[in-house]
Amino acid sequence: MSLLEEYTRIREHTIAICAPLAIEDHVPQPADFVSPPKWHLAHSTWFFEQMILKRFQRDFQEYDPQFGYLFNSYYNHVGERTARVQRGHITRPTLQEVLAYRAHTDKCMLQLLRQAALAPDCTELIELGLHHEQQHQELLYYDLKYILGQQPLFPAYGGDTLRHKDRNAVAGWIDMPAGIYEIGWEGDGFSFDNERNRHKVYLQSYQISKALVTNAEYLSFIQDGGYSRFELWLDEGWAWVKENAAKCPLYWQQRGADWLIYGLDGLQPLEELSVLTHINYYEAQAFATWAGKRLPTEAEWEAASDQLPWGARWEWTGSAYLPYPGFKIAPGAVGEYNGKFMVNQMVLRGASVATPAGHARTTYRNFFHPHLQWQFAGIRLAT
Ligand SMILES: [Fe+2]
C-alpha cells in the first residue's frame, strides 16, 4: 500500500470510530485523563499541519492561527497551549468546524503526497503522523467508553464493541531458560524512538503464563479481601485504594450478589470466563502478589513474545519506563514525543482489542501512570 493510500485509510478510520457518536458525545471531559473526541479529531489534524505541512508545503497558510493554542497537546517547542484539564471546555470551534479543518488539512496533505519525490525526512514524519493518529484512535476508544460509561443510564456506543468478552484460547506456562536475549527494534519499517536500540539482556530462567487473568480469577481476589489487605499492596497502591475507596476494577458494579460490567454494548452481567480489563498497575501488582506470582519484566515479555498469544489486552509489566541503551532524544518538537515521559510510568506490552490493525509489534513499549485504569489493560503472570 502506498503512503497516500495508508494516509487515506488511517484518516478515514478515525472518522469511522466517531461515526456512532452524537454531537454531544464529542465534547465532555469527565476526568482529567480523558480527552473529548472532538479534541482528538482536531489534535491529530494539527499534528500533520504543524509537523509536516508548515515545513514541507511551500507558501503554506495555517488554517486558523488560533488552533495551535487549542490543539497542541504537550509540545513546548511549538508554543503555549490550553491546559489539558480544559479540553472539555472548548465548545468552539464546533464539531462541524473541526471536521472542515480535517477535510482542508487532508486536501493539503494529499497534494503533498502526490508530489513525485518526497524528502526522506518528510516521509518519515508522515509515517510518524500516521502512527500518532493510530495512537489517538486507540485513545478515542478509551475516552468514548469513559464518557458513555460514566453516565447515569450507561448508554451503548453503537459501534464496534471490541470483543470485551474475549476468552483465553490456551492455558499453562512457558518455561524460558536462563540466558542472553535481544530486545528492541532493529531493521527497516516503522518503530518509535523508545523501541531503540536493540540490545542484549541477561534473564534468569522464568515461567510466563500463556493465558491472561480472567474476571473469575480477579473475583476470587476480591472475595478473598484483596482490596482490604494492605500486605498485598505497594505503599502507593494502598494509598490509592484508601483515597478512592477502591473495591473493584473500573466499570464493575456490584448489585446484591451479582456483578455487572459496562462494555461498549452497555451494562451487562459480568462474564466470569472473559479476560480481565481496566485494572491499574497497583491492582495488577496486588493481584500477582495474592496469587503468589509476579508481573513479567518487559524483557521477559519480549523474549517470550513469539510463543505468547497477545493482543487482547495491554499487559502491565513490572518494568519502569526508562530509556534503552543508546536512546537519544531527537532535536526539535518530535523529540518531545516519548523521551520526556520516561519518569514515574510503567511499561505495558502487547496490544489491546482497541489497537488499530497494523499498529502493534512485539517491540512496542506502551506506558501509563500506575494509577490509571481506563486503558484496556490486563494481567499476565510470571514466576
Ligand atoms: Fe498526540
Side-chain angles (χ1 to χ4, degrees), residues 216-244:
E217 289 165 326
Y218 201 81
L219 204 50
S220 302
F221 164 73
I222 295 175
Q223 288 164 347
D224 196 33
Y227 282 87
S228 51
R229 291 169 54 185
F230 63 83
E231 70 273 19
L232 299 174
W233 296 78
L234 293 168
D235 186 57
E236 267 186 27
W238 185 241
W240 172 85
V241 168
K242 300 306 266 182
E243 204 177 306
N244 296 281

Coordinates of all heavy atoms in Angstrom, one line a residue, residues 216-244:
A216 N -13.1 -14.2 36.5 CA -13.3 -15.1 37.7 C -12.1 -15.1 38.6 O -12.3 -15.1 39.9 CB -13.6 -16.5 37.1
E217 N -10.9 -15.2 38.1 CA -9.8 -15.2 39.0 C -9.7 -13.9 39.8 O -9.3 -13.9 41.0 CB -8.5 -15.4 38.1 CG -8.4 -16.8 37.6 CD -7.4 -16.9 36.4 OE1 -7.2 -16.0 35.6 OE2 -6.8 -18.0 36.4
Y218 N -10.0 -12.8 39.1 CA -9.9 -11.5 39.8 C -11.0 -11.4 40.9 O -10.8 -10.8 41.9 CB -10.0 -10.3 38.8 CG -9.4 -9.1 39.4 CD1 -8.0 -8.8 39.4 CD2 -10.2 -8.1 40.0 CE1 -7.5 -7.7 40.0 CE2 -9.7 -7.0 40.6 CZ -8.4 -6.8 40.6 OH -7.8 -5.6 41.2
L219 N -12.2 -12.0 40.6 CA -13.3 -12.0 41.5 C -12.9 -12.8 42.8 O -13.2 -12.4 43.9 CB -14.5 -12.7 40.8 CG -15.9 -12.4 41.4 CD1 -16.1 -10.9 41.5 CD2 -16.9 -13.0 40.4
S220 N -12.1 -13.9 42.6 CA -11.6 -14.6 43.8 C -10.7 -13.7 44.6 O -10.8 -13.8 45.9 CB -10.8 -15.8 43.3 OG -11.5 -16.6 42.5
F221 N -9.9 -12.9 44.0 CA -9.0 -12.0 44.7 C -9.9 -11.0 45.5 O -9.7 -10.7 46.7 CB -8.2 -11.2 43.7 CG -7.5 -10.0 44.2 CD1 -6.4 -10.0 45.0 CD2 -7.9 -8.7 43.7 CE1 -5.8 -8.8 45.4 CE2 -7.3 -7.6 44.1 CZ -6.2 -7.6 45.0
I222 N -11.0 -10.5 44.9 CA -11.9 -9.5 45.6 C -12.5 -10.2 46.8 O -12.6 -9.7 47.9 CB -12.9 -9.0 44.6 CG1 -12.3 -8.1 43.5 CG2 -14.0 -8.2 45.3 CD1 -13.2 -7.7 42.4
Q223 N -13.0 -11.4 46.5 CA -13.8 -12.2 47.5 C -12.9 -12.6 48.7 O -13.4 -12.9 49.8 CB -14.5 -13.3 46.9 CG -15.7 -12.8 46.1 CD -16.3 -13.8 45.1 OE1 -15.7 -14.9 44.9 NE2 -17.5 -13.6 44.6
D224 N -11.6 -12.7 48.4 CA -10.6 -13.1 49.4 C -10.1 -11.8 50.2 O -9.1 -11.9 50.9 CB -9.5 -13.8 48.8 CG -8.6 -14.6 49.8 OD1 -9.2 -15.0 50.8 OD2 -7.4 -14.6 49.6
G225 N -10.8 -10.7 50.0 CA -10.5 -9.5 50.7 C -9.3 -8.7 50.1 O -8.6 -8.0 50.8
G226 N -9.1 -8.9 48.8 CA -8.0 -8.3 48.1 C -7.9 -6.8 48.3 O -6.8 -6.3 48.5
Y227 N -9.0 -6.1 48.4 CA -8.9 -4.6 48.5 C -8.9 -4.2 49.9 O -8.9 -3.0 50.2 CB -10.2 -4.0 47.8 CG -10.0 -4.0 46.2 CD1 -10.4 -5.1 45.4 CD2 -9.4 -2.9 45.6 CE1 -10.2 -5.0 44.1 CE2 -9.3 -2.8 44.2 CZ -9.7 -3.9 43.5 OH -9.5 -3.8 42.1
S228 N -8.9 -5.1 50.9 CA -8.8 -4.7 52.3 C -7.6 -5.2 53.0 O -7.4 -5.1 54.2 CB -10.1 -5.1 53.0 OG -10.4 -6.4 52.9
R229 N -6.7 -5.8 52.2 CA -5.5 -6.4 52.8 C -4.2 -5.6 52.4 O -3.7 -5.9 51.3 CB -5.3 -7.9 52.4 CG -6.4 -8.8 53.0 CD -6.5 -10.1 52.4 NE -5.2 -10.8 52.5 CZ -5.0 -12.0 51.9 NH1 -6.0 -12.6 51.2 NH2 -3.8 -12.6 52.0
F230 N -3.8 -4.7 53.3 CA -2.7 -3.8 52.9 C -1.4 -4.6 52.5 O -0.6 -4.1 51.8 CB -2.4 -2.9 54.1 CG -1.9 -3.5 55.3 CD1 -0.6 -3.9 55.5 CD2 -2.8 -3.9 56.3 CE1 -0.2 -4.5 56.7 CE2 -2.4 -4.5 57.5 CZ -1.1 -4.8 57.7
E231 N -1.3 -5.8 53.1 CA 0.0 -6.5 52.9 C 0.2 -7.0 51.4 O 1.3 -7.3 51.0 CB 0.1 -7.8 53.8 CG -0.8 -8.9 53.5 CD -2.2 -8.8 54.1 OE1 -2.6 -7.7 54.5 OE2 -2.9 -9.8 54.3
L232 N -0.9 -6.9 50.6 CA -0.8 -7.3 49.2 C -0.3 -6.2 48.3 O 0.0 -6.4 47.2 CB -2.1 -7.8 48.7 CG -2.7 -9.0 49.4 CD1 -4.1 -9.3 48.9 CD2 -1.8 -10.3 49.2
W233 N -0.4 -4.9 48.9 CA -0.3 -3.7 48.0 C 1.1 -3.1 48.2 O 1.6 -3.0 49.3 CB -1.4 -2.8 48.3 CG -2.7 -3.3 48.0 CD1 -3.5 -4.2 48.7 CD2 -3.5 -3.0 46.8 NE1 -4.6 -4.5 48.0 CE2 -4.7 -3.8 46.9 CE3 -3.3 -2.2 45.7 CZ2 -5.7 -3.7 45.9 CZ3 -4.3 -2.2 44.7 CH2 -5.5 -2.9 44.8
L234 N 1.5 -2.4 47.2 CA 2.6 -1.5 47.3 C 2.1 -0.3 48.1 O 0.9 0.0 48.1 CB 3.1 -1.0 45.9 CG 3.8 -2.0 45.1 CD1 3.9 -1.5 43.6 CD2 5.1 -2.4 45.6
D235 N 3.0 0.5 48.8 CA 2.5 1.5 49.6 C 1.7 2.6 48.9 O 0.6 3.0 49.3 CB 3.8 2.2 50.3 CG 3.3 3.3 51.3 OD1 2.6 2.9 52.2 OD2 3.7 4.4 51.1
E236 N 2.2 2.9 47.7 CA 1.4 3.9 46.9 C 0.1 3.3 46.4 O -0.9 4.0 46.3 CB 2.2 4.2 45.6 CG 3.0 5.5 45.7 CD 3.7 5.9 44.4 OE1 3.1 5.6 43.3 OE2 4.8 6.5 44.5
G237 N 0.1 2.0 46.1 CA -1.1 1.3 45.7 C -2.2 1.3 46.9 O -3.4 1.6 46.6
W238 N -1.7 1.1 48.1 CA -2.6 1.0 49.2 C -3.2 2.4 49.5 O -4.4 2.6 49.8 CB -1.8 0.5 50.5 CG -2.7 0.3 51.7 CD1 -2.6 0.9 52.9 CD2 -3.9 -0.5 51.8 NE1 -3.6 0.5 53.7 CE2 -4.4 -0.4 53.1 CE3 -4.5 -1.4 50.9 CZ2 -5.5 -1.0 53.5 CZ3 -5.7 -2.1 51.3 CH2 -6.2 -1.9 52.6
A239 N -2.3 3.5 49.3 CA -2.8 4.8 49.4 C -3.9 5.1 48.4 O -4.9 5.8 48.7 CB -1.6 5.8 49.3
W240 N -3.7 4.6 47.2 CA -4.7 4.8 46.1 C -6.0 4.1 46.5 O -7.1 4.6 46.3 CB -4.1 4.2 44.8 CG -5.1 4.2 43.7 CD1 -5.5 5.2 42.9 CD2 -6.0 3.1 43.3 NE1 -6.5 4.8 42.0 CE2 -6.8 3.5 42.3 CE3 -6.1 1.8 43.8 CZ2 -7.7 2.7 41.7 CZ3 -7.1 0.9 43.2 CH2 -7.9 1.4 42.1
V241 N -5.9 2.9 47.1 CA -7.1 2.1 47.5 C -7.9 2.9 48.5 O -9.1 3.1 48.4 CB -6.7 0.7 48.1 CG1 -7.9 0.1 48.8 CG2 -6.2 -0.2 47.0
K242 N -7.2 3.5 49.5 CA -7.8 4.2 50.6 C -8.5 5.5 50.1 O -9.6 5.8 50.4 CB -6.8 4.5 51.7 CG -6.2 3.3 52.3 CD -7.1 2.3 52.9 CE -7.5 2.5 54.3 NZ -8.4 1.4 54.7
E243 N -7.7 6.2 49.3 CA -8.1 7.5 48.8 C -9.4 7.4 47.9 O -10.2 8.3 47.9 CB -7.0 8.1 48.0 CG -7.0 9.6 47.9 CD -5.8 10.2 47.2 OE1 -4.7 9.8 47.6 OE2 -5.9 10.9 46.2
N244 N -9.4 6.3 47.1 CA -10.5 6.2 46.2 C -11.6 5.2 46.6 O -12.5 4.9 45.9 CB -9.9 5.7 44.8 CG -9.1 6.8 44.2 OD1 -9.5 7.7 43.7 ND2 -7.7 6.6 44.4

